[in-house]
Amino acid sequence: MSLLPLVYFLPATRGNLIISPDDGVIFNIPIRVAVANIIHAGHLPLWNPYIFSGMPLFGAAQAGVLFPLNWFYLLFSIPVATNLMMLSTYVLAALGAYLYARRSGASIAGAVATSLIWQWSAFMVAKVGQTNVVQTAALLPWVLWAVDGYGMTNKRWRGVLLSLLVALQIFAGHQQTFAYSVLLAAVYAIVMARASSGRQRASYLWSLALLAAGLALAAVQILPTIELLRNSLRATASYEFFSSFSMPPRFMLTFFAPFIMGGGDGQLFRAPYVGPAFAGEYIAYVGAATIMLAIVALLVRPDTRTKFWSLVIPVCLALAVGRFIPFSFYKLVYYVPVINLFRVPARHLMEVEFALAVVAGRGLTAIASAGNRAKTVRAAAFAGGLIFVLTCVAVSWWRPANFHLGRVGPVSILRAPELFIPITIAGISAIALWSFARNYEHGFFNNRLVLLFAVLAFDLCLWGQASGWRLSPTRAHPLWREPDSVRMLRDLERDHGNAPNRILTDVQPFFINSGRDEEEKYKLGEFMLSLQPDTYMMHGVENAAGYDGFGLMRYSKLAGDMKLWGELTDPERSVRGPGREFDILNVRYLVRQSPKGEARRQAPLASGSELGATPELVKLSGLSFAKAELGSPSLLNGERLLFATPPIEANSIALVTSLAWSAEVKDSETVGHIRLRTEDAKVFEFQLRAGEHTSEWSHDRPDLKIMHQRAPIATSSLVVNPSGNFESHSYVAKFSL
């Protein structure tokens, strides 16, 4: 079970993929590389001069300076160190979950189930880019294992181990995840003390003091972090901030169908994402068989631990829902000290999913040791039938009204793998569970147990492998090389004999984590490198912008009310206005995307093609279209899309557009102005009109009644036939207006 992550993340194990999507690329890797560089230069990594014109590095904690799994950057190249760090983190999570489950009374098969579910749960996989969140969560089962170890034996060395594990969890660097974890461990110790007697009761109660001792051991990290917090933009958190990123109740459906809100990496699951930004915060999938086994555990053998973890599920799920709880109950939580410093209540899904993993393992154990086989079979049949019915209802009557397919056609269960695969998996899981309960045979390698594990593993892999982590950068990604902008700065400094000068990056807006958009993001290596401020710290370039969860309040006010991710509130006022704040900060260069680079970013050539080469084409109704899409993001009102094609003689151009994500637009309303420039300086201009020239029929729009059979793709495409030939090519620009 400990080595299973090496199989799950096989592309990374082989070195072909570097596990670092989302925040991994733009924050976690750069800050760890900066720490290694500072140490190699002979300094303690206490101060970070490379972002926000300098800010505390060790105090911010997120670099995990004292966490051993981050030390790979001291010895290996960036890609190798990143994979070693991430793979070892999941190995740690897998082993800890297995050991805790065994110590708390699960059979070997039950412990295997707990470990399998925890390491492949939605919380652990969907947050793979949030390195310190995953590292902190990986230590949760270890802390619980140590609590039980001391509580059962009262051995001093086990108590010391408990305190060390708590300190190590703090060093991982994510305060919110740690706070939830240590609170859960404390409540667990109290419940187990109440359920025990004599010496064990005293030991469990003393474990509370050992948890506090772990906090004291980690004071070297906690105190500077508290000092920084008092001076950061998060010193005071309003209720709106505290309750932001609460889990919308409709995401409860993801317990049964992980892509019911759309998303996925665009391979098997292709439905566009229709939920709020940052889907990875809300998905709660742990597998159909997991919930079935948890129900069986509660029905067949509801002992103290089973009851405790079963109660954790609804309580922490309510906390994850946050501001959506009826009667404004969550406002009471806002007055709980320490907890009220954090936003994203949805991260309470950590406790929910770990509890489900534990109870599922206990359910498997209960089936194996059940004395009343008939009762066990009835419980398995009930659990399987219930989850199968709930899954069917979730993907039919309860599915979101704005769910739509990633292709032309009406929504139906048989057309969408997002809908029919969960039903199929739930049905097979129910049959496998019932068969295992009805014909249980002792021994780990009996056929029915193997079948149950195969179904569970396939289910978790199917969702997890499509969740987006495979869109991490490869070894060829520009992140691992010195970007052009850094080389240009070095040349300017050398040519003019200047000492290094600070830069200011004009930060692009965040990409919204919405499934297939991730693929688009990782095509844009130049964008990620040249405009994300933290990537410059890997190359020793000081930046007046930055991205860090702790932003100094006074600095933000000085630097034009700069946000935590380096974005200026009013760039025109700050950069071109009468203020001199960036002169005071010794900023010499403004780094932003050039018009030429912007054109390349929004319209990259097809993979493997070069300027002057003929792009690969496809024929649709007699018209030639480029096989590769432009890969551009959706266009907002007033934005422009620029792209160039190889100079090839042609007499028409075909352009495919879509109003799929637009607001209400009436037919014949002008939604775009097209200007075509040829190599011989000819200019052709025309308007793009809704309905007449656009393909908004590509799927249902909630605000317009569109006939699906309105027009086939070839006739709804805008085809321009100007008089005379021009130097261009029949080329498709497939983008959203």
Side-chain angles (χ1 to χ4, degrees), residues 44 429 506 733:
L44 292 176
S429 298
D506 186 4

Side-chain angles (χ1 to χ4, degrees), residues 482-556:
E482 185 178 74
D484 291 340
S485 52
V486 172
R487 287 194 290 272
M488 183 184 298
L489 290 168
R490 303 262 193 254
D491 292 341
L492 289 170
E493 292 168 3
R494 184 181 62 253
D495 294 343
H496 295 90
N498 295 326
N501 292 280
R502 188 167 289 126
I503 65 170
L504 173 66
T505 47
D506 186 4
V507 182
Q508 290 289 324
F510 277 123
F511 274 84
I512 294 175
N513 182 359
S514 56
R516 283 183 293 161
D517 287 350
E518 296 296 292
E519 182 176 6
E520 169 187 297
K521 175 166 58 178
Y522 289 112
K523 290 177 181 176
L524 309 178
E526 179 183 358
F527 155 76
M528 298 299 293
L529 283 172
S530 61
L531 294 179
Q532 289 302 312
D534 283 13
T535 57
Y536 284 91
M537 74 171 74
M538 295 192 294
H539 307 285
V541 177
E542 296 184 9
N543 197 342
Y547 172 34
D548 192 281
F550 293 97
L552 293 173
M553 187 182 301
R554 286 177 295 178
Y555 180 81
S556 173

Side-chain angles (χ1 to χ4, degrees), residues 83 175 178 262 315 327 366 369 381 429 567 684:
N83 277 346
Q175 297 83 5
F178 168 76
V315 170
F327 311 113
S369 59
S429 298
E567 184 178 339
F684 300 91

